[in-house]
């Protein structure tokens, strides 16, 4: 199941000229002064511990996944309290004249992640700063167990996230199975706000689980109302493919893609779908990268999540005959499943536009050039990962809306609302409705975007620029500056038994009744 989300506050007025922001001098001073600190800078990023209690966004079109309408949005203490035309307010309210759209929710990130012998360069402040600059106001990261313990892993990630400057949630990774894991899964769901568990079908010898663990994990997820997620590649076959490449003398990054062709992603996707159907439990397939896997998802009507790199890139640069160009691109493009040849990206776009795939994540996991160079003589040692947390909103708009493949309401759905619904935090997130969190971005589609991320970027060009990002009513990104303090982010618990579990009991009962067993037999005289 693949999901990408944007907070469902979407203020859009395509017919107006460039967005303008109207701030009085007194309001601006208030923004700078309110808070617990005096501001400062981290890593070259300036921040202000700003917290405004009242905010009016006017002059735009409110776009939700179900409809768009002209209206103003009035916010108090970070919550939307009114959505209607011509709202009148007093002098104490900050007013923004806005042309914009919703804040994003990225369902798939890896910040401060320990992976393949190194640690990702983006932590929970730098990665989130880039996200806010790109219009994303919430993300869901992956917690890994520590020494086999889910609780120890959760506590470790709580510490990592203590510097957060935006809202976030957690998925949990399952790497082995015993009774303690089963018990800790219940604690994660009932006490720690985690409603999704990820199983790797690849990375043999480290993260990979076999079908036995996957089945037990799916059964436990179902009993807890939690969503089973899979990274679908055949790990045993990939391992053999890697050995084959080395034996053939293909040690360069091209060997990464050649060792894990689309058929191995499709096989694992099909197998996970069959096992989930056998257990009668929902399934979420992360980072769908190829036509073959997408078709398996379409046949099964499961939920699939393409990532933005798979939507907009292909592997053509990996095969550049110029050594310098190829060397620069190859390492940066290494992720799993790999970026596919041209054609797969267009098919994924079509699947997203027709509802076969449901949302867009990033799988954001960034490594520096020096870290990527660990595999200069052996592609198996290149840390897998690409960026995207800052670029996703712009790239989906440019790729899908500008090309008329989806409408603006569909854009809200695939970047925000659907993710919020799947992970059971709608309508707190993913909608511009009374009572929803005020996560909003002011977006100017006519200007090129500036970047704050220092990570080398493989996305060459995209349109649009986030002028202002508002998180829970706070202006956190404005004038190309971050205006929030580390530690101001908030953990968002995600409750179990979302809408994907509707009807599970009935289908279980129907299945059992279809068995027509046990048959009551009698012994005949011999």
């Amino acid at each position: 199941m693949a999901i990408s989300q944007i907070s469902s506050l979407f203020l859009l007025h395509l017919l107006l000229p460039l967005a303008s922001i109207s701030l009085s001098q007194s309001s601006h001073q208030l923004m700078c002064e309110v808070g617990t600190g005096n501001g400062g800078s981290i890593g070259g990023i300036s921040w202000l511990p700003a917290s405004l209690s009242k905010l009016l966004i006017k002059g735009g079109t409110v776009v939700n996944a179900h409809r768009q309408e002209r209206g103003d949005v009035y916010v108090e203490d970070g919550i939307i309290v009114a959505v209607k035309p011509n709202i009148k307010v007093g002098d104490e309210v900050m007013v923004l004249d806005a042309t914009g759209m919703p804040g994003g929710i990225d369902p798939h990130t890896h910040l401060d992640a320990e992976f393949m012998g190194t640690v990702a360069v983006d932590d929970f402040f730098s990665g989130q700063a880039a996200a806010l600059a790109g219009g994303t106001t919430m993300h869901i990261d992956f917690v890994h167990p520590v020494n086999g313990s889910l609780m120890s892993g959760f506590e470790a990630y709580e510490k990592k996230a203590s510097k957060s400057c935006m809202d976030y949630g957690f998925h949990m990774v399952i790497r082995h199975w015993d009774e303690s894991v089963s018990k800790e899964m219940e604690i994660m769901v009932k006490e720690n706000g985690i409603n999704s568990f990820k199983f790797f079908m690849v990375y043999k010898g480290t993260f990979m689980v076999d079908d036995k663990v996957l089945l037990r994990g799916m059964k436990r997820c179902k009993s807890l109302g939690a969503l089973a997620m899979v990274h679908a590649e055949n790990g045993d076959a990939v391992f053999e493919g890697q050995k084959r490449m080395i034996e053939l003398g293909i040690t360069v990054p091209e060997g990464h893609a050649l060792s894990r062709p689309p058929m191995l992603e499709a096989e694992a996707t099909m197998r996970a779908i069959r096992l989930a159907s056998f257990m009668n439990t929902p399934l979420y397939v992360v980072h769908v990268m190829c036509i073959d896997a997408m078709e398996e998802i379409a046949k099964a009507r499961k939920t699939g999540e393409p990532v933005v790199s798979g939507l907009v890139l292909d592997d053509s640069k990996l095969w550049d005959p110029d050594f310098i160009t190829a060397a620069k691109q190859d390492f940066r493009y290494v992720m799993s499943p790999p970026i596919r040849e041209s054609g797969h990206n267009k098919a994924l776009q079509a699947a997203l536009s027709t509802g076969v795939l449901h949302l867009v994540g990033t799988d954001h996991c960034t490594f520096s050039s020096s870290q990527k160079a660990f595999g200069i003589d052996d592609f198996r040692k290149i840390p897998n990962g690409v960026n995207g947390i800052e670029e996703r909103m712009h790239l989906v708009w440019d790729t899908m809306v500008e090309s008329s493949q989806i409408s603006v309401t569909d854009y809200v759905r695939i970047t925000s609302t659907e993710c919020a619904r799947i992970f059971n935090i709608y309508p707190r997130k993913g909608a511009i409705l009374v009572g929803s969190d005020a996560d909003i971005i002011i977006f100017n589609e006519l200007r090129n975007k500036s970047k704050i991320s220092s990570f080398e970027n493989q996305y060459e060009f995209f349109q649009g620029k986030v002028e202002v990002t508002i998180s829970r009513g706070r202006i956190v990104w404005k004038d190309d500056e971050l205006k929030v303090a580390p530690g101001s982010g908030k953990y968002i618990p995600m409750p179990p038994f979302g809408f994907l579990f509707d009807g599970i009991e009935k289908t279980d009962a129907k299945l059992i009744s279809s068995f027509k067993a046990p048959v009551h037999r009698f012994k005949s005289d011999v």
Side-chain angles (χ1 to χ4, degrees), residues 12-89:
L12 180 66
H13 187 182
L14 299 178
L15 300 180
L16 289 179
L18 302 184
S20 62
I21 301 169
S22 174
L23 298 175
S24 68
Q25 181 63 30
S26 59
S27 295
H28 186 256
Q29 291 173 345
L30 176 64
M31 181 180 67
C32 295
E33 293 170 1
V34 172
T36 57
N38 297 316
S41 65
I42 292 182
I45 301 171
S46 63
W47 53 267
L48 297 171
S51 177
L52 288 170
S53 60
K54 297 179 181 181
L55 176 67
L56 176 66
I57 304 168
K58 59 180 291 186
T61 299
V62 178
V63 183
N64 281 299
H66 62 288
R67 68 176 181 181
Q68 55 181 318
E69 58 186 339
R70 291 283 295 172
D72 301 339
V73 180
Y74 179 57
V75 176
E76 286 190 2
D77 298 322
I79 303 296
I80 297 170
V81 296
V83 181
K84 60 183 181 180
N86 302 316
I87 297 175
K88 307 298 182 184
V89 295

Side-chain angles (χ1 to χ4, degrees), residues 36-43 45-50 123-126 128-129 132 159-166 168 472 474 476 482-490:
T36 57
N38 297 316
S41 65
I42 292 182
I45 301 171
S46 63
W47 53 267
L48 297 171
D123 61 20
F124 275 81
F125 183 77
S126 65
Q128 290 184 355
L132 291 171
K159 292 180 181 178
K160 290 184 178 185
S162 63
K163 62 181 71 173
S164 291
C165 57
M166 65 182 262
Y168 63 96
R472 281 185 282 113
R474 299 170 301 150
V476 294
L482 190 67
K483 299 177 182 296
V484 68
S488 60
K490 188 174 182 180

Side-chain angles (χ1 to χ4, degrees), residues 165-238:
C165 57
M166 65 182 262
D167 291 355
Y168 63 96
F170 285 143
H171 310 291
M172 175 68 73
V173 173
I174 301 297
R175 296 172 61 171
H176 78 287
W177 192 261
D178 56 28
E179 189 57 32
S180 65
V181 170
S182 179
K183 290 179 180 178
E184 285 193 306
M185 285 177 70
E186 182 172 6
I187 295 171
M188 291 299 109
V189 171
K190 295 184 176 180
E191 299 179 18
N192 295 94
I194 290 177
N195 67 2
S196 52
F197 294 89
K198 182 178 180 181
F199 301 85
F200 284 87
M201 302 173 73
V202 73
Y203 299 123
K204 186 177 177 68
T206 54
F207 297 165
M208 178 178 162
V209 301
D210 58 21
D211 287 354
K212 181 179 179 180
V213 172
L214 185 55
L215 280 166
R216 290 182 175 179
M218 286 179 171
K219 181 179 180 180
R220 188 57 169 145
C221 283
K222 179 180 177 180
S223 71
L224 295 170
L227 186 57
M229 314 173 75
V230 292
H231 174 149
E233 289 182 281
N234 187 308
D236 288 315
V238 168

Side-chain angles (χ1 to χ4, degrees), residues 3-14:
I3 300 175
S4 116
Q5 62 256 39
I6 287 177
S7 58
S8 46
L9 305 177
F10 192 23
L11 293 167
L12 180 66
H13 187 182
L14 299 178

Side-chain angles (χ1 to χ4, degrees), residues 391-462:
E391 298 84 2
R392 180 182 69 109
M393 297 290 286
H394 299 85
L395 288 169
V396 174
W397 178 271
D398 197 33
T399 302
M400 301 300 296
V401 180
E402 290 290 336
S403 65
S404 300
Q405 294 187 77
I406 62 172
S407 67
V408 292
T409 52
D410 284 336
Y411 178 81
V412 171
R413 174 178 56 81
I414 68 174
T415 58
S416 180
T417 305
E418 191 69 11
C419 177
R421 292 181 68 238
I422 288 171
F423 293 103
N424 211 18
I425 51 175
Y426 179 87
R428 177 179 182 180
K429 301 289 185 181
I432 302 181
L433 298 171
V434 173
S436 298
D437 286 354
D439 299 335
I440 307 166
I441 61 174
I442 310 305
F443 185 89
N444 178 356
E445 63 168 324
L446 301 178
R447 293 178 58 186
N448 293 336
K449 181 183 178 298
S450 60
K451 283 180 59 62
I452 67 165
S453 174
S454 61
F455 184 74
E456 294 177 64
N457 183 34
Q458 71 266 41
Y459 306 110
E460 295 177 354
F461 174 77
F462 46 89

